[in-house]
Amino acid sequence: MRAGATNEPALFNGVLNMKRTIAVCLGLLALVSPAAADSPAAVVEEVQGKVTGVEFMDYVTPKAVIKIGDGGSIILSYLKSCRRETISGAGTVIVGTEESAVHLAEVKAEKTNCDSNQANATTRETSGVAATVLRSVDNSKAASSVQAQLTLYGASPLVEAKGRGKLIIRRLDVPGERQEISLGGTQLKGRFLDFASENVALAPGGLYAATFKSSQIVFRVDAQAKPGATPIVGRLLRMQ
């Protein structure tokens, strides 16, 4: 190669690869419906170093852009696909509906145990179903036949309960177990109460009902659930 000449084939291939990456990202975004773009797709479980666009325990929607600086990293957990991504190194992340499109940064992905129903917060409809279930249990005591609305795969829930109010968690299949926690709005980011940080765990296999303000949900703790700070996406209980 002549002195001062550039490696044109290598340069061309680099530009081509970058264009392909951008095209893939744009293609993924084109598949996202407007409705999906408005709904939370993933939760940010961890942020390390220089990261712009998100903070710890933020919900992110499809098409959101996250930039990671040198030495930075994030952990994203998708609510529907149960895909948990550890993304590290300088690069750009575009949030999808079930996985991220990542440019330059390194991605290590794994499947975790989670219930895709937690992609939706407890709505008026789900609370209504829970209320009906609770009335039937209180009247007949037949908790063994109750179908839970959600399964948690960690025994120490991370409860999303925004603002002030009383959080009540009672066990349905074993009489007498009941917890009442008065929340004053000082929970993490004003809405997250982590049972793991309080060294509190529910019983694996147990059937429970949670109530906060007008929200209610009936959930079961998986029989293999472990206490403590297990992956957030598997123990998230959204009371909104």
Side-chain angles (χ1 to χ4, degrees):
M1 183 172 62
R2 299 189 310 274
T6 60
N7 189 343
E8 293 182 359
L11 179 61
F12 175 79
N13 288 334
V15 172
L16 182 61
N17 289 335
M18 182 177 292
K19 288 182 177 179
R20 286 174 176 168
T21 301
I22 293 173
V24 170
C25 294
L26 292 175
L28 288 173
L29 292 178
L31 297 176
V32 178
S33 68
D38 294 332
S39 302
V43 60
V44 182
E45 289 202 20
E46 184 179 300
V47 175
Q48 297 287 338
K50 186 178 181 180
V51 176
T52 57
V54 293
E55 296 179 353
F56 172 61
M57 287 310 300
D58 277 353
Y59 288 115
V60 288
T61 56
K63 299 187 180 182
V65 177
I66 304 167
K67 294 184 178 180
I68 305 174
D70 287 332
S73 67
I74 62 170
I75 296 179
L76 275 182
S77 285
Y78 279 83
L79 300 174
K80 288 185 178 180
S81 64
C82 303
R83 176 182 167 95
R84 191 169 188 255
E85 301 174 339
T86 300
I87 307 171
S88 56
T92 302
V93 180
I94 301 177
V95 177
T97 54
E98 297 187 357
E99 63 179 283
S100 303
V102 180
H103 179 54
L104 297 179
E106 179 183 355
V107 184
K108 294 181 179 178
E110 62 178 340
K111 284 282 189 176
T112 60
N113 290 323
C114 84
D115 189 332
S116 61
N117 287 327
Q118 64 184 298
N120 302 309
T122 39
T123 61
R124 182 178 299 179
E125 181 179 352
T126 58
S127 293
V129 172
T132 300
V133 170
L134 293 177
R135 283 194 295 270
S136 68
V137 171
D138 292 338
N139 291 335
S140 68
K141 307 300 181 184
S144 59
S145 62
V146 171
Q147 183 70 35
Q149 296 169 284
L150 180 72
T151 299
L152 298 187
Y153 291 90
S156 299
L158 180 71
V159 183
E160 181 183 4
K162 186 177 181 180
R164 299 171 178 267
K166 183 175 289 186
L167 172 66
I168 300 173
I169 296 181
R170 65 184 178 105
R171 191 166 178 183
L172 302 180
D173 56 339
V174 175
E177 183 180 335
R178 179 186 177 97
Q179 298 188 45
E180 294 190 14
I181 305 168
S182 294
L183 302 179
T186 59
Q187 40 286 31
L188 176 65
K189 298 179 79 74
R191 58 180 178 172
F192 292 108
L193 176 67
D194 193 350
F195 277 48
S197 64
E198 303 296 329
N199 295 316
V200 175
L202 304 180
L207 181 69
Y208 292 86
T211 302
F212 181 72
K213 298 181 182 178
S214 61
S215 297
Q216 295 186 92
I217 191 167
V218 175
F219 67 95
R220 186 176 297 279
V221 180
D222 185 74
Q224 303 301 316
K226 303 296 183 185
T230 55
I232 287 173
V233 73
R235 59 190 182 95
L236 183 61
L237 186 62
R238 302 182 64 194
M239 302 295 297
Q240 295 296 317

